[in-house]
Amino acid sequence: MDSITQVALGASIAGAVAGKTLGRSALVVGAVLGTLPDLDVVIDYGSAISNFTQHRGFSHSLFVLAPLAVLLAWLLWRWRPQLGFYRWLALTGLVLITHPLLDSFTTYGTQLFWPFGPPVAISSIFIIDPLYTLPLLVGCIVFLARPPARSTVVAGLVLSSLYLGWTLAAQQVITERVRPALAGAGLQNPTLLIQPMPFNTVLWRATALTERQHVEIVTGFFDGDAPLNLEYFPRDPELARAVSGFPEAQRLEWFTRGLLDYNLDGDRITATDIRLGIPGAHPFTFVLARQAADLVQPVRSVRTPRPQVDPEALGVLWARLTGETPVLCLADLATPTPGQSC
């Protein structure tokens, strides 16, 4: 999730656990701890794909954060012993561990069990969702104004947690809606990703991947019985095979569950993470190799510039979310609009 949300979550937990004893300083401690795992972004791992796939790695691992919580609890207990070691441990443990757990509900990929196993990406909430964050912020603001408003921060935590539960239920409803449409289009068992469109959990996006194409569906809870619209985007399996033996390509496939689109840009072979962003404006595209005649050579990966998004995209998205526009072509949100079947 975004940094503001993680700060608000950490501060709310600290206020609930230690607000009566520490007052406003509890929120400060919780806010600092809440953003601590994301400091891994300052580390340069040597290439664009390494930086991309190592983010939310060791610093988000439960195997790292659990012992770190014990160490920090001991240090903080020596600083403010009136709270007691076990209360400090409850504070540090809950704040540090809820950070990656919340991140795992997004699409990016959180390595909860680093160095073992693949990233966890439940994909039920967008990285910025005001309806999750606002109850936490309101609780913190009231606490800061009239400490120790413990009941308010607890209420914020309860409301945000209930909303997170709703995202899972909504995702399941949308999954059951799109599967018959995909099966009717001949896509029986594709790799399937169901995730909300930006800033809400009313309008959703389904991405179905096969070897030679990926299909996009946008549908929401205000659509009624309207038929689903399928957008088709071609894929080039030959390019995927050309780079399949390269370590960075393998790492990217592992991290994204294969939800990649390979393209030839001049003599450069690129891979685009189609989970994030929208067709025509995916933010993460990497140069993997260069092709000269029949020879494909790996290069140290670099990230290409992020594509522009149509300034009017939010208005288009809002019109589709509210049902004013019955059909939304995802590629229409990007500038320039690529060719597609909509």
Side-chain angles (χ1 to χ4, degrees):
M1 295 293 285
D2 63 286
S3 297
I4 292 175
T5 300
Q6 292 291 7
V7 165
L9 177 60
S12 297
I13 291 172
V17 172
K20 287 187 176 181
T21 303
L22 300 180
R24 293 185 179 93
S25 62
L27 268 63
V28 176
V29 172
V32 172
L33 291 175
T35 198
L36 189 62
D38 281 339
L39 294 182
D40 66 332
V41 296
V42 304
I43 302 173
D44 184 358
Y45 292 96
S47 73
I49 287 178
S50 293
N51 291 337
F52 178 64
T53 61
Q54 296 288 357
H55 177 48
R56 296 193 188 177
F58 78 92
S59 69
H60 286 60
S61 171
L62 301 181
F63 297 128
V64 172
L65 293 176
L68 179 61
V70 176
L71 174 61
L72 291 175
W74 183 81
L75 292 173
L76 290 167
W77 171 58
R78 297 296 299 268
W79 170 56
R80 298 289 291 271
Q82 66 267 37
L83 185 61
F85 173 75
Y86 290 105
R87 291 280 297 282
W88 274 119
L89 183 59
L91 189 157
T92 58
L94 287 171
V95 172
L96 289 178
I97 289 174
T98 54
H99 179 121
L101 289 179
L102 178 58
D103 277 347
S104 70
F105 281 81
T106 67
T107 301
Y108 186 94
T110 305
Q111 297 171 60
L112 288 178
F113 307 107
W114 179 95
F116 310 106
V120 178
I122 298 170
S123 303
S124 68
I125 192 169
F126 190 67
I127 192 171
I128 301 173
D129 191 319
L131 289 182
Y132 179 86
T133 307
L134 282 175
L136 301 174
L137 287 176
V138 170
C140 290
I141 290 170
V142 172
F143 188 104
L144 290 171
R146 300 181 62 183
R150 183 176 179 273
S151 60
T152 307
V153 293
V154 170
L157 288 167
V158 169
L159 289 173
S160 63
S161 299
L162 289 174
Y163 181 73
L164 200 58
W166 149 253
T167 70
L168 295 172
Q171 185 185 51
Q172 186 59 36
V173 170
I174 298 299
T175 301
E176 296 302 318
R177 179 183 296 180
V178 302
R179 282 195 183 278
L182 292 171
L187 303 169
Q188 300 293 340
N189 294 296
T191 299
L192 182 61
L193 172 64
I194 309 291
Q195 61 179 322
M197 292 290 282
F199 316 125
N200 79 101
T201 51
V202 174
L203 189 65
W204 291 71
R205 169 189 170 203
T207 303
L209 186 74
T210 67
E211 184 181 37
R212 295 192 173 276
Q213 66 182 355
H214 84 265
V215 179
E216 299 279 0
I217 300 174
V218 176
T219 184
F221 285 95
F222 296 151
D223 286 359
D225 296 327
L228 299 181
N229 181 65
L230 280 64
E231 294 181 69
Y232 294 85
F233 298 85
R235 301 181 73 227
D236 189 339
E238 298 302 323
L239 287 177
R241 283 191 280 271
V243 298
S244 61
F246 300 158
E248 287 207 294
Q250 293 171 350
R251 174 77 181 181
L252 196 57
E253 287 274 350
W254 169 81
F255 189 76
T256 63
R257 293 193 302 125
L259 285 155
L260 295 169
D261 189 15
Y262 293 92
N263 288 284
L264 189 61
D265 178 14
D267 66 342
R268 306 185 307 172
I269 297 178
T270 64
T272 298
D273 184 347
I274 62 173
R275 304 171 306 157
L276 308 174
I278 54 175
H282 294 294
F284 294 102
T285 295
F286 304 96
V287 178
L288 289 174
R290 292 190 179 274
Q291 179 173 282
D294 294 330
L295 182 63
V296 176
Q297 293 185 319
V299 299
R300 188 175 70 172
S301 61
V302 294
R303 181 180 169 188
T304 64
R306 182 171 184 155
Q308 291 184 333
V309 176
D310 190 329
E312 299 180 0
L314 280 178
V316 174
L317 185 63
W318 176 256
R320 178 63 181 84
L321 188 152
T322 58
E324 179 182 342
T325 302
V327 175
L328 169 66
C329 288
L330 281 171
D332 286 346
L333 298 177
T335 304
T337 302
Q340 83 281 351
S341 172
C342 181

